[in-house]
Amino acid sequence: AIMSVLGSSASFTVSAALVKAVAADFPTAALVLFRSAVCAPVLLPLLLLRGDGRGRGGLGALRVRRVWPHVIRTLFGFGAMWTSFYGLGALPLATNTALGFVMPLLVTLLSIPLLGERVGWRRLCAVLAGLAGVLVMVRPWAGGGGLPLEPTLWVLGGVLCWALAMITIRQMGASGESNATIVLWFSLGGTLLAGIATIPVWIAPSGWELLALVGVGVVSATAQLLMTEAYRTGESSLVAPFEYTAILYTTVMGMAIWGEYPDGRTCAGIAIIVAAGLYVWRREVLVSARAGNV
């Protein structure tokens, strides 16, 4: 399970690097289209063969309990993917990855009004500390000395969309919708939305760009399969912390390929976000364990 999550983090890093390599010369909509259109054919046969967990295999896994939650989840997920790909072209690789790890903190915060969950003061303080880490990275008071404000805000908006997508998935899971059905419909819906958005901005890719774009889809599918395997075979409390190795991978790759050397304040902000995320994860594990013993 640990090796799977490490491999998944490495695969996501390679996918992000491929996106960054072509993002400057290729429309974001087309990047999302290739990612979805290539990833879907890799994942869909496996999910259809495996079934929906309720004894329905094949096309029966496409049957949904309610349509609108899938529409909402697809829209939020599509927005998150779009802004993440845009950020990869505008921000350092490690910075974009670190901002993505704000998502679990936002899920914790949003679970209070949207899911009615009780969150103790310790986790709330950790969430606020993580958001303070974002400010340390962005440094809006530093003028040109911090991160570019516009792409950073776009990425953070996408992280919020990602958090809302996770909240929607939790609600769908609680209502009995299967993971396979959720993944299937997001793959199909994301491909449709990206295809429509690509029509007015389509640019024919060169040979190496096409290779990179197909690679994004294939590597992303591999990463998702490895992540699924990690959580299928291991306890989430064991494998979840290893997802943060993605920051190490992206930092090394950003320095080696693009010469992106994070300064001290950026490193401090990343460290605060990671520490806050790990603390929130630890508290959730403890709270779940206590609830299970009651």
Side-chain angles (χ1 to χ4, degrees):
I2 292 173
M3 293 302 295
S4 293
V5 77
L6 291 175
S8 176
S9 294
S11 298
F12 276 125
T13 299
V14 172
S15 174
L18 289 172
V19 170
K20 187 174 182 65
V22 297
D25 303 313
F26 216 70
T28 302
L31 292 173
V32 177
L33 173 62
F34 272 91
R35 190 272 184 196
S36 300
V38 175
C39 192
V42 177
L43 292 175
L44 293 185
L46 295 174
L47 292 169
L48 290 172
L49 181 64
R50 188 175 295 174
D52 66 350
R54 300 194 298 268
R56 296 188 310 207
L59 294 178
L62 289 170
R63 195 176 308 158
V64 302
R65 290 177 177 269
R66 295 170 57 207
V67 173
W68 280 110
H70 286 275
V71 174
I72 295 170
R73 183 267 183 272
T74 297
L75 291 174
F76 282 140
F78 181 76
M81 192 185 306
W82 183 295
T83 54
S84 175
F85 282 12
Y86 169 72
L88 286 169
L91 297 173
L93 195 60
T95 300
N96 195 78
T97 302
L99 292 174
F101 279 109
V102 175
M103 186 274 291
L105 305 178
L106 294 181
V107 169
T108 299
L109 203 59
L110 292 171
S111 67
I112 301 172
L114 298 182
L115 297 178
E117 294 184 0
R118 296 181 61 184
V119 176
W121 66 269
R122 293 181 180 87
R123 276 188 285 173
L124 282 177
C125 288
V127 170
L128 294 177
L131 297 179
V134 174
L135 288 177
V136 172
M137 291 176 62
V138 178
R139 301 192 295 279
W141 57 83
L147 293 176
L149 188 57
E150 182 179 348
T152 301
L153 290 177
W154 275 108
V155 171
L156 289 174
V159 172
L160 176 60
C161 286
W162 189 11
L164 289 168
M166 294 300 104
I167 293 288
T168 306
I169 289 172
R170 282 191 186 182
Q171 293 172 326
M172 288 172 20
S175 68
E177 199 71 275
S178 73
N179 181 58
T181 304
I182 295 170
V183 173
L184 283 168
W185 278 107
F186 176 64
S187 297
L188 295 173
T191 301
L192 176 63
L193 290 175
I196 294 172
T198 301
I199 293 174
V201 295
W202 171 254
I203 298 176
S206 63
W208 80 268
E209 287 175 335
L210 181 60
L211 184 63
L213 291 168
V214 172
V216 169
V218 173
V219 176
S220 296
T222 302
Q224 289 189 34
L225 291 172
L226 286 171
M227 187 66 72
T228 300
E229 181 66 13
Y231 281 91
R232 187 182 69 83
T233 58
E235 294 288 338
S236 61
S237 59
L238 172 67
V239 301
F242 289 94
E243 290 188 44
Y244 286 92
T245 56
I247 293 180
L248 176 61
Y249 295 150
T250 52
T251 299
V252 172
M253 187 169 288
M255 290 190 298
I257 299 177
W258 289 280
E260 297 171 344
Y261 292 88
D263 58 24
R265 292 179 181 177
T266 299
C267 289
I270 292 174
I272 293 171
I273 292 171
V274 171
L278 289 174
Y279 184 82
V280 168
W281 158 80
R282 179 177 176 274
R283 290 298 305 175
E284 289 179 350
V285 170
L286 291 175
V287 170
S288 298
R290 289 169 183 169
N293 292 329
V294 174

